[in-house]
Amino acid sequence: MPELPDVEILRRYFDRTSLNQPVAEVLVKSGEMVKGVFSPEELVSQLKGQTFSSTLRHGKYLFAEFDAGWLVLHFGMTGTLAHLEEGKEAPEHTRFLLRFRSGTGLAYQCQRKLGGIYVIDSVEGFIKEQGLGPDALQIELDEFKKTIGHSGGSVKSALMNQAMIAGIGNIYSDEIMYQVKIHPKVRVAGLDDTKLEKLYEAVRHVLETAIEAGADPSRMPEHYLLPIREKDGSCPRCGTRIEAAKISGRTGYYCPGCQVNQ
DNA sequence: CTAGATGTTAAGGT
DNA sequence: CACCTTAACATCTA
């Protein structure tokens, strides 16, 4: 689920389901997922009786503000949120559960436990500690050129480097490079200024489009790679069979027909 | 049974 | 130094 568009959808979901209601009960089911300075018990006592008033997102992290601090959720590869109606049991893989005074609840599910739960007092401080770069939807062109443009490796690994630009992972880096027709193994040094600017525009455009589509692959535009990525399909533009390659330790999918520039 | 899956990080190699 | 790859984390599915 969880690259920038997915987390943005989860943030809006949190807003719709969980703001402005006092927390009656907090349940930590997988204590090892509680990271940072507070123990799971401390996290529970911090949150009990609190009310969430607003949310923020930076990269792949969701921040929810309560009276005395911020709850931070990171979703790893399999994390998601589920709103619970009154009296309804927590679903499978629930690692953390908020039960509101109204009886409804919010479950944080994470099958593979690769995510994290934190309580912090400063969002800025947390971003700094984690070493995150600017959010991919907020970074400006000159900053983008300064960091991404001057990095030495492949375009794909630069896009996925959270310290340079926060929020892009394996799936959306594939989509962005597909949209600008850059082969996944092309190195940043091989891009001219025009190409770099097009890449910047594509980052924005792809992420915004994905958010509009509710981060649902089946609702992406037809000329997108994402819905057929991994499906052994052919390119929506030129019909060439989509191929996979290992780049930066991940499987990247691309069209060998369109994404040719060496 | 095995390989791989949206993330992150440490370790080892070129 | 800068970059790359691999493995590990925990769990499920093809």
Side-chain angles (χ1 to χ4, degrees):
Chain A
M1 256 244 140
E3 294 182 36
L4 187 153
D6 312 278
V7 178
E8 178 60 23
I9 297 303
L10 291 173
R11 187 188 71 77
R12 295 176 186 187
Y13 185 79
F14 190 107
D15 281 359
R16 268 183 280 127
T17 60
S18 306
L19 290 187
N20 307 316
Q21 318 180 54
V23 173
E25 194 190 346
V26 183
L27 204 60
V28 176
K29 296 189 142 203
S30 299
E32 70 271 30
M33 297 198 67
V34 176
K35 316 267 176 81
V37 298
F38 294 115
S39 68
E41 296 73 29
E42 287 167 330
L43 183 131
V44 169
S45 62
Q46 288 263 327
L47 290 174
K48 220 166 201 175
Q50 301 286 310
T51 303
F52 293 103
S53 53
S54 71
T55 57
L56 284 179
R57 182 195 52 71
H58 187 99
K60 304 172 186 174
Y61 289 85
L62 170 58
F63 301 87
E65 181 177 27
F66 58 87
D67 315 75
W70 296 81
L71 170 69
V72 186
L73 297 176
H74 185 269
F75 297 92
M77 289 213 269
T78 54
T80 190
L81 295 175
H83 167 75
L84 303 183
E85 295 297 338
E86 191 177 347
K88 206 163 163 226
E89 290 288 298
E92 214 183 357
H93 308 305
T94 295
R95 310 301 182 188
F96 172 67
L97 179 65
L98 296 169
R99 190 64 79 168
F100 301 106
R101 206 168 286 168
S102 62
T104 65
L106 186 75
Y108 166 88
Q109 300 165 274
C110 193
Q111 183 203 99
R112 288 174 63 188
K113 298 191 190 175
L114 297 177
I117 306 162
Y118 312 71
V119 164
I120 59 166
D121 50 31
S122 158
V123 172
E124 294 232 325
F126 181 84
I127 290 169
K128 205 167 263 178
E129 273 167 40
Q130 300 291 312
L132 300 175
D135 183 81
L137 281 180
Q138 291 185 8
I139 192 169
E140 299 198 23
L141 180 60
D142 47 327
E143 174 86 14
F144 183 84
K145 282 182 171 173
K146 229 178 281 172
T147 51
I148 300 274
H150 291 164
S151 67
S154 70
V155 178
K156 183 172 172 71
S157 50
L159 288 175
M160 289 197 296
N161 185 336
Q162 303 301 300
M164 292 189 203
I165 176 171
I168 301 167
N170 197 29
I171 285 185
Y172 285 100
S173 63
D174 279 356
E175 186 63 60
I176 288 160
M177 301 211 305
Y178 175 76
Q179 293 303 326
V180 285
K181 304 184 181 178
I182 297 174
H183 187 284
K185 287 200 174 162
V186 168
R187 300 190 306 117
V188 174
L191 301 185
D192 59 23
D193 222 49
T194 314
K195 206 76 179 171
L196 204 53
E197 284 171 20
K198 277 193 173 158
L199 183 65
Y200 173 80
E201 293 303 327
V203 166
R204 265 211 137 56
H205 184 248
V206 166
L207 296 176
E208 280 170 358
T209 303
I211 291 169
E212 273 168 40
D216 176 352
S218 68
R219 287 175 53 202
M220 300 290 168
E222 285 195 3
H223 61 287
Y224 268 46
L225 174 69
L226 207 155
I228 58 146
R229 212 188 92 104
E230 210 176 332
K231 299 264 186 304
D232 202 28
S234 48
C235 173
R237 287 188 301 230
C238 74
T240 309
R241 172 87 58 199
I242 298 301
E243 282 183 13
K246 284 265 183 226
I247 301 124
S248 307
R250 312 301 301 274
T251 306
Y253 294 83
Y254 66 102
C255 169
C258 314
Q259 295 166 262
V260 281
N261 54 355
Q262 171 58 240

